[in-house]
């Protein structure tokens, strides 16, 4: 069954030619702003990594990576990346990046187990970024400062797009609101996670939900997180655990919240061991990435991913990701979308 979300009275504001020009404008302008805000240099990223090194992003731990054998390596298995959450930290060490600076890259991934709808595709494109920090900066306050900088870059990009295409009207609020996932649960105890996200995003327009991965007072996490990149168990200055979170906006075209970025301060040796134990993944301590981290060979860092197609989708007021990127979609979904006035590429 198609899981299409049907926007009310939808009409694509820009035609296909304008859309392609708008995508180019957004991608070029935003990445330059992100680089300037966070002092990031561009690096080249892999499309796949060797299986068994612990480098690939495990996402929620259940998604299957696309794999293939490599003839010249004795049929060793390679995995198409899910994201570059851990690879970037290895890169920071390799480039000997100093605190206060970092890297960003164009990440292209295949997520074969994704449930396809207006916001989810088999093909994922992100600006993946990572920056070196000091131990003193491993705080919620520092995390919030980084979020404000990223949101400022998003706002400047929205302004540019609306200047170029006056038929598009800005809708993002001037500031982003912060709330911890436990506080959000207490506000709406009888709602599902998605309903809570929609309610808080609609109320403030843009929100950063802190603390993703750890169990809340109801015994459930707000959402899943792998145990070996974001730090979701360290207790912050507000007494709540979690040094990570998601940037969400309220998107009037679909009348729902949309996640634009997942990010956080990364695990140190202590929180890695704690989170591996909590999730029953202690065997990962023997993997290449984890050994380097536990032996102090990787810098402390903060990082995340920002969806390229998603950002283009919302800033160009599109109803479906397939209006931005070329991917594979169910025939039924293509037919429905065409009838709704949002033909998929």
């Amino acid at each position: 069954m198609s899981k299409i979300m049907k926007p009310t009275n939808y009409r694509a504001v820009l035609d296909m030619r304008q859309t392609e020009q708008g995508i180019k404008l957004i991608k070029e302008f935003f990445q330059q702003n992100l680089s300037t805000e966070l002092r990031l240099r561009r690096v080249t990223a892999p499309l796949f990594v060797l299986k068994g090194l612990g480098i690939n992003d495990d996402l929620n731990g259940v998604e299957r990576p696309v794999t293939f054998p490599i003839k010249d390596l004795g049929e060793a298995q390679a995995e198409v990346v899910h994201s570059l959450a851990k690879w970037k930290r290895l890169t920071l060490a390799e480039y000997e990046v100093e605190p206060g600076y970092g890297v960003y890259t164009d990440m292209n991934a295949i997520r074969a187990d994704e449930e396809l709808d207006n916001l989810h595709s088999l093909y994922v494109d992100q600006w993946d970024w990572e920056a070196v920090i000091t131990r003193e900066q491993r705080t919620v306050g520092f995390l919030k400062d980084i979020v404000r900088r990223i949101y400022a870059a998003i706002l400047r990009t929205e302004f540019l797009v609306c200047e170029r295409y006056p038929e598009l009207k800005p809708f993002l609020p001037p500031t982003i609101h912060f709330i911890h996932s436990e506080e959000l649960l207490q506000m709406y105890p009888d709602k599902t996670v998605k309903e809570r996200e929609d309610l808080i995003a609609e109320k403030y327009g843009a929100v950063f939900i802190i603390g993703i991965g750890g169990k809340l007072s109801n015994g459930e996490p707000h959402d899943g997180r792998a145990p070996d990149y974001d730090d979701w168990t360290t207790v912050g200055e507000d007494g709540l655990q979690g040094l990570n979170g998601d940037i969400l906006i309220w998107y009037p075209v679909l009348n729902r919240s949309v996640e634009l970025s997942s990010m956080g301060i990364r695990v140190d040796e202590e929180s890695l061991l704690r989170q591996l134990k909590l999730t029953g993944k202690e065997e990962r301590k023997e993997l290449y990435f984890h050994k380097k981290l536990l032996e102090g060979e990787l810098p402390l860092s903060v990082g995340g991913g920002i969806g390229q197609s998603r950002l283009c989708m919302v800033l160009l007021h599109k109803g479906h990701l397939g209006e931005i990127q070329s991917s594979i979609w169910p025939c039924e979904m293509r037919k429905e979308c065409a009838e709704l006035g949002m033909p998929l590429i």
Side-chain angles (χ1 to χ4, degrees):
M1 294 294 293
S2 174
K3 297 180 179 179
I4 191 73
M5 290 173 272
K6 300 179 180 180
T8 305
N9 300 320
Y10 179 76
R11 180 184 67 84
V13 180
L14 305 181
D15 62 27
M16 293 186 73
R17 178 183 61 82
Q18 291 173 312
T19 298
E20 292 290 357
Q21 292 172 338
I23 293 169
K24 181 174 183 291
L25 176 71
I26 291 168
K27 290 193 174 185
E28 291 178 350
F29 184 80
F30 178 78
Q31 70 177 347
Q32 185 60 53
N33 272 261
L34 180 70
S35 172
T36 302
E37 278 286 356
L38 301 184
R39 296 195 286 187
L40 310 172
R41 70 180 69 141
R42 189 188 182 282
V43 295
T44 301
L47 177 59
F48 40 81
V49 295
L50 280 174
K51 182 178 181 179
L53 297 181
I55 298 175
N56 202 358
D57 182 356
D58 296 294
L59 300 176
N60 293 312
V62 296
E63 294 87 350
R64 300 168 300 167
V66 175
T67 61
F68 60 92
I70 305 172
K71 179 181 178 182
D72 272 6
L73 292 183
E75 303 299 309
Q77 293 288 310
E79 295 180 343
V80 177
V81 297
H82 279 147
S83 86
L84 299 171
K86 290 178 278 189
W87 176 87
K88 292 175 296 181
R89 201 163 173 184
L90 292 166
T91 301
L92 292 177
E94 182 180 355
Y95 281 69
E96 299 181 341
V97 177
E98 296 292 323
Y101 296 88
V103 299
Y104 80 94
T105 190
D106 288 299
M107 189 282 297
N108 296 286
I110 299 173
R111 297 183 182 173
D113 287 336
E114 200 72 82
E115 294 186 4
L116 307 181
D117 58 25
N118 304 55
L119 297 170
H120 298 88
S121 170
L122 299 174
Y123 167 60
V124 179
D125 54 345
Q126 292 182 169
W127 289 286
D128 250 328
W129 65 273
E130 198 86 8
V132 179
I133 63 174
T134 65
R135 189 161 294 278
E136 291 71 29
Q137 289 174 320
R138 300 188 78 256
T139 67
V140 173
F142 179 79
L143 177 64
K144 289 180 178 180
D145 180 64
I146 296 292
V147 171
R148 292 188 184 100
R149 290 174 178 271
I150 294 172
Y151 188 68
I154 293 173
L155 284 180
R156 285 195 293 272
T157 307
E158 182 189 45
F159 176 79
L160 176 67
V161 171
C162 292
E163 282 285 292
R164 183 68 58 89
Y165 303 104
E167 56 270 45
L168 297 174
K169 304 303 178 185
F171 64 90
L172 294 175
T175 59
I176 187 167
H177 179 77
F178 294 90
I179 189 168
H180 193 279
S181 54
E182 178 63 36
E183 296 174 307
L184 188 58
L185 172 62
Q186 297 305 319
M187 286 178 65
Y188 307 111
D190 58 337
K191 304 296 184 182
T192 67
V193 169
K194 186 66 189 70
E195 289 169 341
R196 297 199 293 269
E197 290 182 345
D198 284 347
L199 287 166
I200 199 69
E202 184 175 19
K203 181 176 181 179
Y204 291 103
V207 62
F208 184 73
I209 300 177
I210 303 169
I212 309 290
K215 289 185 179 180
L216 304 178
S217 59
N218 64 354
E220 300 291 335
H222 181 84
D223 200 357
R225 277 293 190 279
D228 42 18
Y229 55 96
D230 282 355
D231 185 340
W232 39 261
T233 52
T234 293
V235 177
E237 55 262 37
D238 53 6
L240 296 169
Q241 67 177 17
L243 296 176
N244 69 343
D246 293 340
I247 295 176
L248 287 85
I249 60 148
W250 178 254
Y251 189 42
V253 173
L254 294 179
N255 201 38
R256 57 158 288 166
S257 62
V258 172
E259 178 191 320
L260 295 182
S261 176
S262 173
M263 57 173 288
I265 291 172
R266 307 309 198 185
V267 289
D268 59 9
E269 299 90 336
E270 180 183 342
S271 54
L272 173 63
L273 291 174
R274 182 168 60 244
Q275 292 177 186
L276 289 178
K277 184 175 182 180
L278 281 171
T279 55
K281 304 290 185 181
E282 291 180 278
E283 73 280 359
R284 293 189 186 180
K285 291 186 292 185
E286 302 305 315
L287 298 176
Y288 173 77
F289 170 83
H290 303 71
K291 279 185 175 180
K292 290 184 76 69
L293 198 160
L294 292 172
E295 291 169 4
E297 297 180 20
L298 301 182
L300 299 173
S301 67
V302 60
I306 302 163
Q308 294 188 19
S309 290
R310 276 204 190 175
L311 185 64
C312 292
M313 174 185 166
V314 300
L315 294 186
L316 297 177
H317 299 197
K318 297 294 184 178
H320 196 289
L321 209 60
E323 296 178 87
I324 298 295
Q325 61 163 239
S326 179
S327 186
I328 296 174
W329 308 98
C331 292
E332 181 184 350
M333 183 178 290
R334 284 190 174 276
K335 181 180 178 182
E336 281 189 82
C337 288
E339 294 171 350
L340 292 166
M342 45 187 192
L344 307 186
I345 297 172

